Amino acid sequence: RLKGRDWLEGDRLTIADLAMSPYLALAAQGGVDLAPYPRIRAWTSRIAARPDFPPIKGWVAEADLSARAEEMM
């Protein structure tokens, strides 16, 4: 569904994205590896990176993860 698009429906964030994204963004907590799914990881990162998005424990944008990894080096 995300092939060639940023959001599930249309050209902007919708309730569909907000309804589905927590399940996928927190999949690792349930033992599901999203490494083989770069579009899903990018999609959940786009949502988490929005300035108006509230922090959710365990869910961070991939850009934040990369920055944290670099800081630890």
Side-chain angles (χ1 to χ4, degrees), residues 22-36:
Y23 297 103
L24 295 167
L26 302 172
Q29 292 180 7
V32 177
D33 180 15
L34 292 180

Side-chain angles (χ1 to χ4, degrees), residues 65-73:
L65 290 175
S66 297
R68 288 180 193 174
E70 287 178 16
E71 288 173 2
M72 297 179 81
M73 292 180 162

Side-chain angles (χ1 to χ4, degrees), residues 44-53 59-64:
T44 59
S45 288
R46 275 192 296 281
I47 294 169
R50 295 182 60 87
D52 54 347
F53 191 77
W59 182 355
V60 295
E62 283 193 13
D64 292 340

Side-chain angles (χ1 to χ4, degrees), residues 6-19 21 41-56 59-64:
D6 288 338
W7 310 109
L8 293 177
E9 289 296 326
D11 59 355
R12 62 190 168 110
L13 180 71
T14 67
I15 192 69
D17 299 288
L18 295 175
S21 56
R41 293 191 329 269
W43 170 68
T44 59
S45 288
R46 275 192 296 281
I47 294 169
R50 295 182 60 87
D52 54 347
F53 191 77
I56 296 175
W59 182 355
V60 295
E62 283 193 13
D64 292 340

